[in-house]
Amino acid sequence: MNNNLDSYYIFYMVAKSGSISKAAENLYISQPAVTWHIKNLENSLETTLFIRTKKGTSLTEEGKIFLEYIEKGMSAFENGRNALTNLKKLDSGMLRIGASTTVSKYVLFPYLEKFHDQYPNIDIRIVNALTEELLKELRNGNLDLLLLNLPMAETKDLITQKIMDVQDIFVGNKKYYDLTNGKINLEELKNYPLIFQKSPSNTRKYLDDYLKQNKVELIPKMEIVSYNLIMDFIKSGFGIGYATKEFVIGELKKKNLYEIKVTPSVPKRYIGAVTLKQTIPNYSAKKLLELMTK
């Protein structure tokens, strides 16, 4: 059986209205067209669906049974349309975002507050992991978008959109600020205990590339995964560390941390949203992207 869905819908409209002429009027097509579809459907099913009378049409027993199933299909179509409408209006749905804990706290969270105020019915799920793992989850379809420290190695299957520029700096507590007079040559940092984020984070890779470009090798005394824990160790005087200025601006103002200006300075980088090229982001992801990039 190879019936066009139009024929099923026309059958449904005739059955509900009890009239070919009324169905044709409601469907904005001619009566002969309606008759042709019904006849074609009956021939295909090898059964009579309607009894034609002067007053209109009535269903045969076979037609009544067939209508029960067609009504379920029409109800499913209508439910699907309503669900899609709700998604487009962002009255329902889910948004799955991948980001590091640091980026989630300092970059993503303020945008999510605004997003949630506008679309409170959207369920939000955040996955915190290293970039490599997040990219794997995105490619497997388990995440809608990522928020990452960029740049990273170019990949042809991804689209990146800049959210904000950030400036990496070296920081210490008051003791190390005084020892260096607040400024130091990059090469001279090797004379101090250093605390860096552990590989393979994007932040550590960017630092390593910066050191390599300047032909300087720095061996950290401590390597820690957690960015916030690194800042705690630096504030407690364990050494000089590598930080993103926009993320520690509050600590700098409170003088819990001090910027130690290093020559040459670290080039700026940026935080960006990452999506898959071959996948169209859902309505929730599109709205969040609009909010972050406008």
Side-chain angles (χ1 to χ4, degrees):
M1 185 173 65
N2 185 25
N3 288 299
N4 190 301
L5 287 175
D6 288 344
S7 296
Y8 295 140
Y9 186 59
I10 289 170
F11 162 79
Y12 174 78
M13 294 297 287
V14 173
K16 286 299 185 181
S17 65
S19 167
I20 287 177
S21 60
K22 287 182 181 178
E25 183 180 345
N26 291 333
L27 292 166
Y28 299 99
I29 59 176
S30 66
Q31 290 187 39
V34 173
T35 301
W36 180 86
H37 276 282
I38 295 300
K39 187 172 182 60
N40 187 56
L41 185 59
E42 288 179 327
N43 289 338
S44 177
L45 295 171
E46 297 181 353
T47 190
T48 300
L49 298 171
F50 291 104
I51 299 172
R52 281 78 170 174
T53 67
K54 291 183 180 180
K55 294 183 179 180
T57 59
S58 60
L59 289 165
T60 62
E61 288 304 311
E62 292 84 354
K64 290 176 183 178
I65 293 172
F66 189 58
L67 178 62
E68 290 180 13
Y69 290 93
I70 294 298
E71 281 183 320
K72 292 177 183 178
M74 292 302 159
S75 177
F77 287 140
E78 186 65 22
N79 289 339
R81 187 179 71 172
N82 290 338
L84 185 59
T85 299
N86 287 337
L87 285 173
K88 291 173 73 174
K89 291 180 178 178
L90 298 182
D91 288 333
S92 64
M94 182 181 296
L95 179 55
R96 304 165 304 170
I97 310 165
S100 69
T101 304
T102 308
V103 171
S104 295
K105 178 179 179 180
Y106 294 105
V107 181
L108 178 60
F109 185 72
Y111 288 112
L112 284 183
E113 280 190 304
K114 295 177 183 178
F115 181 86
H116 182 66
D117 284 342
Q118 295 179 39
Y119 311 109
N121 296 323
I122 300 296
D123 292 332
I124 299 171
R125 295 186 181 179
I126 301 173
V127 175
N128 297 135
L130 291 173
T131 297
E132 186 177 336
E133 183 62 29
L134 293 175
L135 287 170
K136 182 180 177 182
E137 291 296 299
L138 179 69
R139 291 183 172 115
N140 288 339
N142 298 323
L143 294 173
D144 299 308
L145 65 91
L146 309 179
L147 212 59
L148 301 177
N149 285 301
L150 299 171
M152 62 180 179
E154 187 176 346
T155 48
K156 295 181 179 179
D157 64 330
L158 302 177
I159 297 174
T160 61
Q161 300 179 65
K162 183 186 287 189
I163 304 301
M164 62 182 289
D165 288 317
V166 291
Q167 178 65 62
D168 290 338
I169 58 174
F170 288 87
V171 293
N173 67 358
K174 183 68 164 55
K175 178 180 74 173
Y176 286 102
Y177 180 79
D178 290 340
L179 284 172
T180 60
N181 293 315
K183 56 184 178 179
I184 194 172
N185 186 279
L186 181 60
E187 180 76 26
E188 294 173 345
L189 275 176
K190 63 177 59 175
N191 299 320
Y192 296 89
L194 302 172
I195 308 172
F196 293 161
Q197 197 162 21
K198 192 174 182 180
S199 295
S201 73
N202 268 11
T203 297
R204 177 60 185 271
K205 185 180 183 308
Y206 195 74
L207 168 60
D208 289 343
D209 289 344
Y210 157 72
L211 296 175
K212 186 177 180 180
Q213 288 168 8
N214 289 281
K215 299 179 181 178
V216 172
E217 183 180 6
L218 297 179
I219 300 174
K221 183 178 181 181
M222 300 177 67
E223 292 182 289
I224 303 173
V225 173
S226 168
Y227 180 86
N228 289 329
L229 190 56
I230 291 172
M231 296 306 113
D232 289 338
F233 272 92
I234 296 169
K235 284 187 287 185
S236 297
F238 282 79
I240 294 173
Y242 185 73
T244 301
K245 190 169 187 175
E246 287 74 10
F247 299 167
V248 296
I249 196 71
E251 300 292 344
L252 293 172
K253 288 179 178 178
K254 294 176 184 176
K255 298 190 181 301
N256 293 326
L257 291 173
Y258 292 79
E259 180 180 357
I260 298 171
K261 296 186 182 296
V262 173
T263 306
S265 60
V266 184
K268 277 193 174 185
R269 58 183 177 135
Y270 66 99
I271 306 295
V274 178
T275 53
L276 283 175
K277 272 187 182 177
Q278 68 268 31
T279 302
I280 299 174
N282 62 34
Y283 292 106
S284 301
K286 283 182 179 178
K287 285 298 180 184
L288 180 61
L289 284 169
E290 288 174 10
L291 190 64
M292 292 191 295
T293 57
K294 69 178 180 179

